[in-house]
Amino acid sequence: MSAGVHRLLKGALPAARGKRLNLALQGGGAHGAFTWGVLDYLLEDTRLTFSGISGASAGAVNAVMLADGLARGGPEEARRRLAEFWRAASLGGGLPGPQRAVLERVLALFPLGSSPVQLFVDAMSRVMSPYDFNPLNINPLKQLIERFVDFDAIRAYRGLDLFVSATNVRSGRLRVFRREDITADVVMASAALPHVFRAVEIDGEPYWDGGFTGNPPILPLVAENDDDVLLVQIAPLRRDDTPTSAREILHRVNEIAFSSSLAAELRALEFVGRAGRHAPVVNVHRILLEGLDKRLSGSRLKNDFDFFALLHRAGRRAARRFLDRHFDAIGHRSTLDLAKETAA
């Protein structure tokens, strides 16, 4: 079945706003506020329509917030819900102390604590599992997600493909949940860092953070339609410098761990396109968080709203630059060189 016929059969598509894009949203702890900024600008641009969204970890949270807004009110509602979520997740969002400490660890992604409460949480998690350290299974992120997202509305909304990744603890394999199966538990599974949360059980299987195995999943988007894919990437695949300090080494090790699955998917797309000797399987574009290294060093723990707003502004600027440079290429050619990006 052709992708065009497939779209017609899906029905209930949103009103056309011009060029169509799939969005692939990488996880990145508090740096997911950069993705919020990117989405905010893209939603503001009336020339774009989204065919599908995939996400892992913080990218999955952004994905369901976006899908919820589109399902319930369109682009402006999606912008509003994303803004409200990131405000609620910030330091001034009103969460009680224990919930705030746990949410800080979720937004941290890579534990580099500095506040007294965070240092205590870090120390305990090094010697105790979340089953011991968090016996009540406090889950503030799930509470925030349930507060903001109408999953029934998302599942009923046929105008958008939606995919969320999680890692099966027993098999170590990727599982990609489709829109029809996504719940608050699925999103929490995608964001379940092993040192913070118990594994989330779904259909009798335990799951951890999707960032380990699909960060974000791109191939499911490609399988559904032939629209271009825009990757919103938090962690670079390649760095030119060699880390030397303990902090830099830990940061880079975690970047590699959480980017290896993305590198594998990009290699697969590049290989299939090269083997076909014709047009690429799909056009791929990228918006990358960059140019803020000094200001972001160790900042995945920083969750005051001013910091989120800084990343939001950076995301909007990056999205504007992308569209200024590459809008005409959307639907015609890739602007991300997969061969160069995946070269050893």
Side-chain angles (χ1 to χ4, degrees):
M1 181 186 300
S2 71
V5 172
H6 178 81
R7 290 193 206 102
L8 289 173
L9 292 179
K10 284 171 65 177
L13 291 174
R17 297 174 81 221
K19 295 194 175 187
R20 301 180 64 83
L21 278 174
N22 290 300
L23 300 173
L25 311 180
Q26 192 176 48
H31 294 180
F34 171 81
T35 302
W36 163 35
V38 170
L39 297 177
D40 189 49
Y41 193 87
L42 297 180
L43 286 162
E44 193 177 273
D45 194 304
T46 58
R47 299 173 296 172
L48 298 173
T49 297
F50 304 132
S51 308
I53 316 169
S54 70
S57 200
V61 175
N62 276 317
V64 296
M65 295 296 159
L66 173 57
D68 175 79
L70 292 175
R72 292 207 269 177
E76 286 305 310
E77 179 66 13
R79 294 182 67 202
R80 185 177 72 84
R81 300 201 74 76
L82 282 160
E84 289 181 350
F85 170 80
W86 282 99
R87 169 67 74 176
S90 70
L91 186 60
L95 286 176
Q99 293 187 24
R100 167 59 48 202
V102 175
L103 186 58
E104 284 180 355
R105 281 301 295 274
V106 174
L107 293 177
L109 183 60
F110 310 146
L112 294 169
S114 56
S115 71
V117 172
Q118 191 57 51
L119 288 170
F120 174 74
V121 174
D122 279 345
M124 290 298 98
S125 66
R126 293 177 189 278
V127 296
M128 302 174 68
S129 85
Y131 294 82
D132 302 318
F133 178 62
N134 187 8
L136 299 179
N137 202 22
I138 296 173
N139 206 323
L141 182 58
K142 182 179 179 182
Q143 293 168 2
L144 278 178
I145 291 169
E146 289 177 332
R147 172 177 151 193
F148 282 99
V149 179
D150 183 343
F151 286 96
D152 288 335
I154 288 178
R155 288 190 292 269
Y157 182 56
R158 295 188 295 158
L160 189 73
D161 297 316
L162 179 63
F163 304 97
V164 168
S165 64
T167 303
N168 187 300
V169 177
R170 292 175 179 148
S171 69
R173 294 183 178 276
L174 167 69
R175 178 171 176 182
V176 177
F177 294 86
R178 302 175 66 91
R179 187 195 73 247
E180 297 85 353
D181 303 317
I182 293 175
T183 63
D185 280 337
V186 168
V187 180
M188 273 312 306
S190 185
L193 291 168
H195 56 277
V196 181
F197 290 127
R198 303 178 186 186
V200 178
E201 187 168 303
I202 301 172
D203 299 331
E205 291 290 330
Y207 291 93
W208 276 337
D209 197 296
F212 293 115
T213 51
N215 193 20
I218 296 177
L219 297 180
L221 293 169
V222 175
E224 286 298 315
N225 61 69
D226 56 3
D227 293 325
D228 292 19
V229 173
L230 173 59
L231 167 65
V232 183
Q233 188 176 343
I234 303 298
L237 296 177
R238 179 184 297 273
R239 286 194 180 274
D240 295 330
D241 57 333
T242 301
T244 55
S245 71
R247 178 183 291 265
E248 290 170 345
I249 291 169
L250 177 61
H251 178 77
R252 185 56 180 154
V253 165
N254 280 286
E255 276 188 339
I256 293 170
F258 278 86
S259 296
S260 59
S261 61
L262 171 61
E265 292 209 40
L266 293 180
R267 279 195 298 271
L269 287 173
E270 192 275 330
F271 176 79
V272 172
R274 177 161 41 87
R277 298 181 182 178
H278 297 294
V281 175
V282 67
N283 296 323
V284 182
H285 315 277
R286 176 176 66 183
I287 296 176
L288 175 65
L289 172 58
E290 57 184 346
L292 296 174
D293 282 1
K294 290 184 179 179
R295 302 182 72 175
L296 298 181
S297 178
S299 62
R300 285 176 172 79
L301 269 177
K302 197 171 180 180
N303 62 341
D304 58 272
F305 190 75
D306 287 344
F307 177 66
F308 288 167
L310 167 70
L311 285 166
H312 173 262
R313 290 192 297 272
R316 283 184 58 87
R317 286 194 301 270
R320 183 180 66 247
R321 287 194 300 269
F322 169 78
L323 290 178
D324 287 346
R325 296 172 183 172
H326 302 306
F327 179 80
D328 290 342
I330 296 173
H332 299 286
R333 59 180 176 83
S334 291
T335 57
L336 178 62
D337 187 336
L338 295 181
K340 180 179 179 181
E341 188 66 21
T342 59

